[in-house]
Amino acid sequence: MTHTVRISLVLVTASAAGAFGPVDRAFAGVPDDGRPPVVVALGDSAASGEGAGGYEPGTRGEGGNWCHRSPAAYVHHTTLADRGVNLACSGAGTAHVAFGTAVHHTEGSQATRLGELARRNRVVAVTLQIGANDEPDLAGTAVACIRAYLDLREPGCRYSLGPRWADRLAAVTPRVEGAVQAVRGAMTGAGYRDGDYALVLLSYSAPGSEAMPIWHAVQGCPFSRPDAAWSRTEAFPRLSEAIERVAERTGARFLDLTRLAEGREACTRDVGEEWQRRVTVDPRALVQGTLGAAGMRLFQESFHPTAAAHAAIAGCLSEFVPSGVPRAACVPARDGRAHPEVTV
């Protein structure tokens, strides 16, 4: 018989080197060469801070840039370095992280910009959260679930998308792997060895739960409880597993965010206590395609982590990276925060 035991790194960080292997060299004696230490975030809306609000000037649509980078994004609130740099952009796909000519919201390759940044600064950690806008198409998945709820002739998204989910994940994993390789290439080109910095690949937080009250649709969660259950127990965990396999193949570390908002999903508490945004637009206009460009910009914020969730991710990252543990999951705790846990 096998036993699953979850250990919180809050309790074991001090002895993590002995229990789980050497602590990452980024926090164990990498020479200070005088360049300012920074932690850098790459990826899509989950990393940019979409949904957390207060977006930085220049990313609020000026000149066509809708990256929606928030000062509340987790990269700005870790204790891994005095400064966080956010290169992530809402709506970005793996092609926008990788080297190449792809442009998204007026911005070019995130890996190229990382390399430039790494030459000017001492990068101690890089986070990468990418893949959702490729084949999994989480925004399209949300629309499909909403459409199924509003139109009884439509099958639940668990039926329309569930049978194809494994194929979608199989298609996106090589793309995520390519993005990781681009990040490694950018750092190598800037003179870093793999052990000189922590590279953390993150998954995504499940936004909804079947624990919604009966009036959930009018509260901003217009999808069925069974579809919400499929999303929470199947779609997001399987996506997380696919990203974890990429981390294993590429030597990156992995932080599972699937359970981050557990008990605080959209429409499960008072709005101020939730860690996931509710739908931000008229759902009927959304599925009918009558929102227009301005309405779709508002929809971007739907079902994304709130500022409180980003603070929780930042705290979890701050405990995870120095521990040296290769894999962990951010799990909410009684203290109102989220802590990394490992399974042994």
Side-chain angles (χ1 to χ4, degrees), residues 1-19:
M1 179 181 293
T2 59
H3 297 276
T4 299
V5 181
R6 292 197 172 274
I7 301 177
S8 171
L9 296 188
V10 173
L11 303 178
V12 302
T13 297
S15 59

Side-chain angles (χ1 to χ4, degrees), residues 11 58 75 107 150 176 206 209 235 242 248 252 259 264 291 307:
L11 303 178
V75 70
E107 297 186 353
L150 296 177
V176 176
S209 168
E248 291 172 351
R259 297 177 56 200
R264 295 178 181 268
L291 278 179

Side-chain angles (χ1 to χ4, degrees), residues 256-277:
D256 182 2
L257 300 186
T258 306
R259 297 177 56 200
L260 175 79
E262 190 172 69
R264 295 178 181 268
E265 298 96 341
C267 297
T268 60
R269 292 194 178 202
D270 292 337
V271 173
E273 298 177 343
E274 292 171 350
W275 283 4
Q276 292 284 346
R277 292 287 299 269

